[in-house]
Amino acid sequence: MPGLDGKVALITGAGGMQGVGRATVMKLALEGADIALSDVRRDVSDLPPSEVRNEWGGIETVSEEVQALGRSALPIYCDLSDPDQIERMVEDTVDKFGRIDVLVNNARAIIGKDKVPVTELDLDVWEHFLSINTTAVFLVTKFVARHMVRAGNGGRIINIASNAGKQASVNGAAYSASKFAVIGLTQASAMDLALHNITVNAVCPGPINTDRMSYWERDQAAEKGITQEEFRGQIVENSSRNTPLGRIAEPHDVANMVSFLAGDEASFITGQAYNVNGGQLFH
């Protein structure tokens, strides 16, 4: 029997065509879980070129893929900067499925506007990164954990952090601060929820071969007179050369770790932050 048969998972940031969210949705669905998947409604200017070109349907399309596997799916549009929408997302999931067994906090702010020295970092950019990358993780965890505690069946909460949550880099103050905070939140939540048999862990990827949107990559590509996808390809090639295993992560590499942490074999693991980076960082 699939390892998550009969379980319900809520996964945020799940609408990207080549993202970790979609890979995680499909992995957990293959393991037998029914899925509530969320994303924000994005303007065309905030979509990667490949999604625009392919007229990608976001969480609606991913939901259809889940249903094609014989599992139930609930797509939910949610702006994670709005606490009321977050609470409603959780309530809609419980109303549909009656429970939440696994939470994957995957969504993150679109990077790019933050890639400046700390002396040039705008307050609104800083606050946006903390709002989406940290405060939203706290709020989704809070509301989901309340249901898990009331249900009395334990649970799994998995936060997608980053290498940047363990080691900062130049022009990365907002992103690193938000991801360092996620790891701290993971540890504190693990302590708070252990009594209820709810484990809380983090996955810390290095660079990932997705087509996720980056304002910085878009601007750099324009300056060089090449497409955003060509510039992204250069980044992937350079990062691969600097990775001991010779490539950067694919979305399924992260999804595989999430699947392990969501399953019974990880029942005695909590408060940890696992690197998935091909050996780029040991911490």
Side-chain angles (χ1 to χ4, degrees), residues 11-30 35-39 42 50-51 54 56-66 69 104 106-107 160 210-211 250-256 258:
I11 302 169
T12 67
M17 188 170 72
Q18 293 178 232
V20 168
R22 179 191 179 195
T24 301
V25 166
M26 300 310 294
K27 179 68 175 179
L28 299 192
L30 282 168
I35 310 290
L37 58 156
S38 81
D39 212 333
R42 295 179 290 169
S50 61
E51 290 189 13
N54 288 282
W56 177 246
I59 56 175
E60 303 291 346
T61 299
V62 181
S63 293
E64 293 171 359
E65 293 177 325
V66 171
L69 296 175
V104 184
N106 170 68
I160 306 301
T210 70
D211 64 350
E250 297 292 336
H252 69 262
D253 293 313
V254 182
N256 288 342
V258 173

Coordinates of all heavy atoms in Angstrom, one line a residue, residues 11-30 35-39 42 50-51 54 56-66 69 104 106-107 160 210-211 250-256 258:
I11 N -0.3 21.8 0.6 CA 1.0 22.2 0.1 C 0.8 23.6 -0.5 O 0.0 23.9 -1.4 CB 1.5 21.3 -1.0 CG1 1.6 19.8 -0.4 CG2 2.8 21.7 -1.6 CD1 1.8 18.8 -1.5
T12 N 1.6 24.6 -0.1 CA 1.6 26.0 -0.6 C 2.6 26.1 -1.7 O 3.5 25.4 -1.8 CB 1.8 27.0 0.5 OG1 3.2 26.9 1.0 CG2 0.9 26.8 1.7
G13 N 2.3 27.2 -2.5 CA 3.2 27.5 -3.6 C 3.3 26.3 -4.6 O 4.4 26.0 -5.1
A14 N 2.2 25.8 -5.0 CA 2.2 24.5 -5.7 C 1.8 24.7 -7.2 O 1.6 23.7 -7.9 CB 1.2 23.6 -5.1
G15 N 1.7 25.9 -7.7 CA 1.2 26.1 -9.0 C 2.2 26.2 -10.1 O 1.9 26.3 -11.3
G16 N 3.5 26.3 -9.8 CA 4.5 26.5 -10.8 C 4.7 25.2 -11.7 O 4.6 24.1 -11.2
M17 N 5.0 25.4 -13.0 CA 5.1 24.3 -13.9 C 6.3 23.4 -13.6 O 6.2 22.2 -13.8 CB 5.2 24.9 -15.4 CG 5.1 23.8 -16.5 SD 4.9 24.5 -18.1 CE 6.6 25.2 -18.4
Q18 N 7.4 24.0 -13.2 CA 8.6 23.2 -13.0 C 9.1 23.4 -11.5 O 10.3 23.3 -11.2 CB 9.7 23.6 -13.9 CG 9.4 23.3 -15.4 CD 10.5 23.7 -16.3 OE1 10.2 24.3 -17.3 NE2 11.7 23.3 -16.0
G19 N 8.2 23.7 -10.6 CA 8.6 24.1 -9.3 C 8.6 22.9 -8.3 O 8.1 21.8 -8.6
V20 N 9.2 23.2 -7.1 CA 9.2 22.2 -6.1 C 7.8 21.9 -5.6 O 7.5 20.7 -5.2 CB 10.1 22.7 -4.9 CG1 9.9 21.9 -3.6 CG2 11.5 22.8 -5.3
G21 N 6.9 22.9 -5.6 CA 5.5 22.6 -5.1 C 4.8 21.6 -6.0 O 4.2 20.6 -5.4
R22 N 4.9 21.7 -7.3 CA 4.2 20.7 -8.1 C 4.9 19.3 -8.0 O 4.2 18.3 -7.9 CB 4.3 21.2 -9.6 CG 3.7 20.2 -10.6 CD 4.0 20.5 -12.0 NE 3.5 19.6 -13.0 CZ 3.8 19.5 -14.2 NH1 4.8 20.3 -14.7 NH2 3.3 18.7 -15.1
A23 N 6.2 19.3 -7.9 CA 6.9 18.0 -7.7 C 6.5 17.4 -6.4 O 6.3 16.1 -6.4 CB 8.4 18.2 -7.8
T24 N 6.3 18.2 -5.4 CA 5.9 17.6 -4.1 C 4.5 17.1 -4.1 O 4.1 16.1 -3.6 CB 6.1 18.7 -3.0 OG1 7.5 19.1 -3.0 CG2 5.7 18.2 -1.6
V25 N 3.6 17.9 -4.7 CA 2.2 17.5 -4.9 C 2.1 16.1 -5.5 O 1.4 15.2 -5.1 CB 1.4 18.5 -5.7 CG1 0.1 17.9 -6.2 CG2 1.2 19.8 -4.9
M26 N 2.8 16.0 -6.7 CA 2.7 14.7 -7.4 C 3.4 13.6 -6.6 O 2.9 12.4 -6.7 CB 3.4 14.9 -8.8 CG 2.8 16.0 -9.6 SD 1.0 15.8 -9.8 CE 0.8 14.3 -10.7
K27 N 4.5 13.8 -5.9 CA 5.1 12.8 -5.1 C 4.2 12.3 -4.0 O 4.0 11.0 -3.8 CB 6.4 13.3 -4.5 CG 7.2 12.3 -3.7 CD 7.7 11.1 -4.5 CE 8.6 10.2 -3.6 NZ 9.1 9.1 -4.3
L28 N 3.6 13.2 -3.3 CA 2.7 12.8 -2.2 C 1.4 12.1 -2.7 O 0.9 11.2 -2.1 CB 2.4 14.0 -1.3 CG 3.6 14.6 -0.6 CD1 3.1 15.6 0.5 CD2 4.6 13.6 0.0
A29 N 0.9 12.6 -3.9 CA -0.2 12.0 -4.4 C 0.1 10.5 -4.9 O -0.7 9.6 -4.7 CB -0.7 12.8 -5.6
L30 N 1.3 10.3 -5.5 CA 1.7 9.0 -5.8 C 1.8 8.1 -4.6 O 1.6 6.9 -4.7 CB 3.0 9.0 -6.6 CG 2.9 9.5 -8.1 CD1 4.3 9.8 -8.6 CD2 2.3 8.4 -8.9
I35 N -4.8 15.8 -1.9 CA -4.0 17.1 -1.8 C -4.9 18.3 -1.9 O -5.7 18.5 -2.7 CB -3.0 17.1 -3.0 CG1 -2.2 15.8 -3.1 CG2 -2.1 18.3 -2.9 CD1 -1.2 15.6 -2.0
A36 N -4.6 19.2 -0.9 CA -5.1 20.6 -1.1 C -3.8 21.4 -1.5 O -2.8 21.3 -0.8 CB -5.6 21.1 0.2
L37 N -3.9 22.2 -2.6 CA -2.8 22.9 -3.1 C -3.1 24.3 -3.3 O -4.2 24.6 -3.8 CB -2.2 22.2 -4.3 CG -3.1 22.1 -5.5 CD1 -2.3 22.0 -6.8 CD2 -4.0 20.8 -5.4
S38 N -2.2 25.2 -2.9 CA -2.5 26.6 -3.0 C -1.4 27.4 -3.8 O -0.3 26.9 -3.9 CB -2.7 27.2 -1.6 OG -1.4 27.5 -1.0
D39 N -1.8 28.5 -4.3 CA -0.9 29.5 -4.8 C -1.6 30.8 -4.9 O -2.8 30.9 -4.8 CB -0.4 29.0 -6.2 CG 1.0 29.5 -6.5 OD1 1.5 30.5 -5.9 OD2 1.7 28.8 -7.3
R42 N -1.2 35.1 -9.9 CA -0.1 35.9 -10.4 C -0.4 36.6 -11.7 O -1.0 36.1 -12.6 CB 1.1 35.0 -10.5 CG 1.6 34.4 -9.2 CD 2.8 33.5 -9.4 NE 2.4 32.3 -10.1 CZ 3.3 31.4 -10.6 NH1 4.6 31.6 -10.5 NH2 2.9 30.3 -11.3
S50 N 8.4 30.4 -19.7 CA 7.9 29.1 -20.1 C 6.5 28.9 -19.8 O 5.7 28.3 -20.5 CB 8.8 28.0 -19.5 OG 8.7 28.0 -18.1
E51 N 6.0 29.4 -18.6 CA 4.6 29.3 -18.2 C 3.7 30.2 -19.1 O 2.6 29.8 -19.5 CB 4.4 29.7 -16.8 CG 5.0 28.7 -15.8 CD 4.6 28.9 -14.4 OE1 3.7 29.7 -14.1 OE2 5.3 28.3 -13.5
N54 N 3.5 28.4 -22.6 CA 2.8 27.2 -22.6 C 1.3 27.4 -22.1 O 0.6 26.4 -21.9 CB 3.5 26.1 -21.7 CG 4.7 25.6 -22.4 OD1 4.6 24.7 -23.3 ND2 5.9 26.0 -22.0
W56 N 0.3 27.9 -19.1 CA 0.2 27.1 -18.0 C -0.9 27.4 -17.1 O -1.2 28.6 -16.8 CB 1.5 27.1 -17.2 CG 1.6 26.3 -16.0 CD1 1.7 26.7 -14.7 CD2 1.5 24.8 -15.9 NE1 1.7 25.6 -13.8 CE2 1.6 24.5 -14.5 CE3 1.4 23.8 -16.9 CZ2 1.6 23.2 -14.1 CZ3 1.4 22.5 -16.4 CH2 1.5 22.2 -15.1
G57 N -1.7 26.4 -16.6 CA -2.9 26.7 -15.8 C -2.7 26.7 -14.3 O -3.7 26.7 -13.6
G58 N -1.5 26.7 -13.8 CA -1.2 26.8 -12.4 C -1.8 25.7 -11.6 O -1.8 24.5 -12.0
I59 N -2.4 26.0 -10.4 CA -2.9 25.0 -9.5 C -4.1 24.2 -10.1 O -4.4 23.1 -9.7 CB -3.3 25.5 -8.1 CG1 -4.3 26.7 -8.2 CG2 -2.0 25.9 -7.4 CD1 -4.7 27.2 -6.9
E60 N -4.8 24.8 -11.1 CA -5.9 24.1 -11.7 C -5.4 22.9 -12.5 O -5.9 21.8 -12.4 CB -6.7 25.1 -12.6 CG -7.2 26.3 -12.0 CD -8.3 26.0 -11.0 OE1 -8.9 24.9 -11.0 OE2 -8.7 26.9 -10.2
T61 N -4.3 23.2 -13.2 CA -3.7 22.1 -14.0 C -3.1 21.0 -13.1 O -3.2 19.8 -13.3 CB -2.6 22.6 -15.0 OG1 -3.2 23.5 -15.9 CG2 -1.9 21.5 -15.8
V62 N -2.4 21.4 -12.0 CA -1.8 20.5 -11.1 C -2.9 19.6 -10.4 O -2.7 18.4 -10.2 CB -0.9 21.2 -10.1 CG1 -0.2 20.2 -9.1 CG2 0.2 22.0 -10.8
S63 N -4.0 20.3 -10.1 CA -5.1 19.5 -9.5 C -5.6 18.4 -10.5 O -5.9 17.3 -10.0 CB -6.2 20.5 -9.2 OG -5.9 21.3 -8.1
E64 N -5.7 18.8 -11.8 CA -6.1 17.8 -12.7 C -5.1 16.6 -12.8 O -5.5 15.4 -13.0 CB -6.2 18.4 -14.1 CG -7.4 19.4 -14.2 CD -7.4 20.2 -15.5 OE1 -6.5 20.0 -16.3 OE2 -8.3 21.1 -15.7
E65 N -3.8 16.9 -12.7 CA -2.8 15.8 -12.6 C -3.0 14.9 -11.4 O -2.8 13.7 -11.5 CB -1.4 16.5 -12.7 CG -1.1 17.2 -13.9 CD 0.3 17.9 -13.9 OE1 0.7 18.3 -12.8 OE2 0.9 17.9 -14.9
V66 N -3.3 15.5 -10.3 CA -3.6 14.7 -9.1 C -4.8 13.8 -9.3 O -4.7 12.6 -9.0 CB -3.8 15.6 -7.9 CG1 -4.2 14.8 -6.7 CG2 -2.5 16.4 -7.5
L69 N -4.3 10.7 -11.2 CA -3.7 9.6 -10.4 C -4.7 8.9 -9.5 O -4.4 7.9 -8.8 CB -2.6 10.1 -9.5 CG -1.4 10.7 -10.3 CD1 -0.4 11.3 -9.3 CD2 -0.7 9.7 -11.1
V104 N 3.0 21.2 4.0 CA 4.3 21.5 3.4 C 4.2 23.0 3.1 O 3.5 23.5 2.2 CB 4.6 20.7 2.1 CG1 5.9 21.1 1.6 CG2 4.5 19.2 2.3
N106 N 5.8 25.6 1.4 CA 6.7 25.7 0.2 C 6.8 27.0 -0.4 O 7.8 27.4 -1.0 CB 6.3 24.6 -0.8 CG 7.1 24.8 -2.1 OD1 8.3 24.6 -2.2 ND2 6.4 25.2 -3.2
A107 N 5.7 27.8 -0.3 CA 5.7 29.1 -1.0 C 6.8 30.1 -0.5 O 7.2 30.0 0.6 CB 4.3 29.7 -0.9
I160 N 10.0 24.4 3.8 CA 11.0 24.5 2.8 C 11.8 25.7 3.1 O 11.4 26.9 2.9 CB 10.5 24.6 1.3 CG1 9.6 23.4 1.1 CG2 11.7 24.6 0.4 CD1 10.2 22.0 1.3
T210 N 14.7 25.0 -11.5 CA 13.3 25.3 -11.8 C 13.3 26.5 -12.7 O 14.3 27.1 -13.0 CB 12.5 25.7 -10.5 OG1 13.0 27.0 -10.0 CG2 12.7 24.7 -9.5
D211 N 12.1 26.9 -13.2 CA 12.0 28.1 -14.0 C 11.3 29.2 -13.2 O 10.7 30.1 -13.8 CB 11.2 27.8 -15.3 CG 9.7 27.4 -15.0 OD1 9.4 27.2 -13.8 OD2 8.9 27.3 -15.9
E250 N 17.2 19.0 -8.8 CA 15.9 19.0 -9.5 C 14.8 19.1 -8.5 O 15.0 18.7 -7.4 CB 15.8 17.8 -10.4 CG 16.9 17.7 -11.5 CD 16.8 18.7 -12.5 OE1 15.7 19.3 -12.7 OE2 17.8 19.0 -13.2
P251 N 13.6 19.6 -8.9 CA 12.5 19.6 -8.0 C 12.2 18.3 -7.3 O 11.9 18.3 -6.1 CB 11.3 20.1 -8.9 CG 12.0 21.0 -9.9 CD 13.3 20.3 -10.2
H252 N 12.4 17.2 -8.0 CA 12.0 15.9 -7.4 C 13.0 15.5 -6.3 O 12.7 14.8 -5.4 CB 12.0 14.8 -8.5 CG 13.3 14.5 -9.1 ND1 13.7 15.0 -10.3 CD2 14.3 13.6 -8.7 CE1 14.9 14.5 -10.6 NE2 15.3 13.7 -9.6
D253 N 14.2 16.1 -6.3 CA 15.2 15.8 -5.3 C 14.6 16.3 -3.9 O 14.7 15.7 -2.9 CB 16.5 16.5 -5.5 CG 17.2 15.8 -6.7 OD1 17.3 14.6 -6.8 OD2 17.7 16.6 -7.6
V254 N 14.1 17.5 -4.0 CA 13.5 18.1 -2.8 C 12.2 17.4 -2.4 O 12.0 17.1 -1.2 CB 13.2 19.6 -3.0 CG1 12.6 20.3 -1.7 CG2 14.5 20.3 -3.4
A255 N 11.4 17.1 -3.4 CA 10.1 16.3 -3.1 C 10.4 15.0 -2.5 O 9.6 14.5 -1.6 CB 9.3 16.2 -4.4
N256 N 11.5 14.3 -2.9 CA 11.8 13.0 -2.3 C 12.1 13.2 -0.8 O 11.7 12.3 0.0 CB 13.0 12.4 -2.9 CG 12.7 11.9 -4.3 OD1 11.5 11.7 -4.7 ND2 13.7 11.7 -5.2
V258 N 10.9 15.6 1.2 CA 9.6 15.9 1.8 C 8.8 14.6 2.0 O 8.2 14.4 3.1 CB 8.8 16.9 0.9 CG1 7.4 17.1 1.5 CG2 9.6 18.3 0.9

